[in-house]
Amino acid sequence: MFTGIIESTGQVESLQSIGGDLRIRVQTALDLSDVHLGDSIATNGICLTVVDWGSNWYAADVSKESLNRSTLASWRVGQTVNVEKAMLPTTRFGGHIVSGHVDTVGEITLLRQDARSVYFEVTAPAHVAKYLAEKGSVTIDGISLTINYLSGSILSLNVIPHTAERTNIVTWKVGTKVNIEVDVLARYIERLLLGDRAAEPEVKSGLSMEFLAENGFLK
């Protein structure tokens, strides 16, 4: 688990195709002295398992599922990425619960200065809009952010100077693709509302105003 508070940035050092998936190596100034084989490091919000490492780099294998769900398939050598080690029980919980399991890819459709902060809008795929809430938490490229407001599946967000300086936000521009992870609680609430229907094969969420009314959630 992670908090979405970025500890450092890194640069993609190599991308090696192995047996249909990928091995990635990231160079970083992050303190890796306490990292062990099998530890998790969120890289642009993707939970990656360390398979090799040195004093200033780590390597991880990336499955086809992660390549299909995230922006990783389009990464290039030299690209700047956000890096966070897995949280400890003693870690100050400054962000929100982040699993590192990317839900989908969004696109930055507006970016401008807003006083000292950076204001930007991210257009998410329509199917994840139901998991987003005004003033709720969302993870963008591993960064824990608060949604200002929503217009359909368009998220409005502000980033303070401190966050901008410590992340890869300076590389963003209109058209940049970003990883999105919704609040983990939203996923489980939807599943719980299905009740016994969740055990049915091929069942979709099925959530509608009619479903909610029939099951006592609306009057």
Side-chain angles (χ1 to χ4, degrees):
M1 303 300 290
F2 308 91
T3 68
I5 304 301
I6 303 302
E7 295 179 283
S8 183
T9 56
Q11 282 72 45
V12 177
E13 192 173 66
S14 66
L15 296 160
Q16 181 184 6
S17 179
I18 302 177
D21 52 34
L22 198 68
R23 176 165 294 185
I24 182 172
R25 177 165 158 154
V26 177
Q27 186 176 50
T28 179
L30 183 68
D31 179 11
L32 301 177
S33 61
D34 59 347
V35 169
H36 301 90
L37 184 67
D39 281 358
S40 298
I41 298 181
T43 309
N44 262 17
I46 307 166
C47 178
L48 297 179
T49 300
V50 174
V51 297
D52 196 6
W53 75 104
S55 61
N56 66 345
W57 62 273
Y58 63 91
D61 289 329
V62 184
S63 69
K64 292 184 69 174
E65 169 69 8
S66 294
L67 291 171
N68 292 335
R69 287 267 191 164
S70 71
T71 61
L72 209 155
S74 65
W75 290 6
R76 298 292 179 265
V77 172
Q79 179 169 333
T80 301
V81 291
N82 298 318
V83 178
E84 180 192 355
K85 289 184 290 188
M87 65 184 297
L88 300 171
T90 55
T91 301
R92 181 174 286 125
F93 204 164
H96 72 282
I97 298 173
V98 176
S99 67
H101 304 155
V102 173
D103 291 288
T104 190
V105 172
E107 180 178 342
I108 296 175
T109 48
L110 179 64
L111 191 152
R112 59 175 169 79
Q113 283 296 130
D114 184 15
R116 293 192 307 117
S117 67
V118 179
Y119 170 87
F120 63 99
E121 293 179 356
V122 176
T123 298
H127 71 273
V128 300
K130 61 186 175 181
Y131 302 113
L132 305 169
E134 188 170 307
K135 298 306 176 185
S137 296
V138 67
T139 309
I140 306 293
D141 267 2
I143 308 167
S144 173
L145 295 169
T146 300
I147 299 171
N148 293 338
Y149 62 85
L150 287 161
S151 177
S153 60
I154 301 175
L155 297 71
S156 163
L157 308 117
N158 274 80
V159 176
I160 62 172
H162 175 77
T163 302
E165 291 166 2
R166 293 183 61 85
T167 65
N168 70 348
I169 286 174
V170 294
T171 68
W172 292 359
K173 58 186 178 182
V174 171
T176 296
K177 297 294 196 298
V178 291
N179 294 319
I180 299 176
E181 180 187 332
V182 302
D183 193 325
V184 65
L185 295 178
R187 297 192 202 129
Y188 286 110
I189 289 171
E190 179 186 42
R191 193 71 177 167
L192 285 168
L193 286 174
L194 290 174
D196 292 340
R197 292 181 62 238
E200 298 175 12
E202 303 298 326
V203 68
K204 303 297 183 182
S205 71
L207 290 186
S208 63
M209 299 302 288
E210 293 77 14
F211 176 86
L212 294 173
E214 290 173 3
N215 288 272
F217 294 99
L218 296 177
K219 294 183 178 180

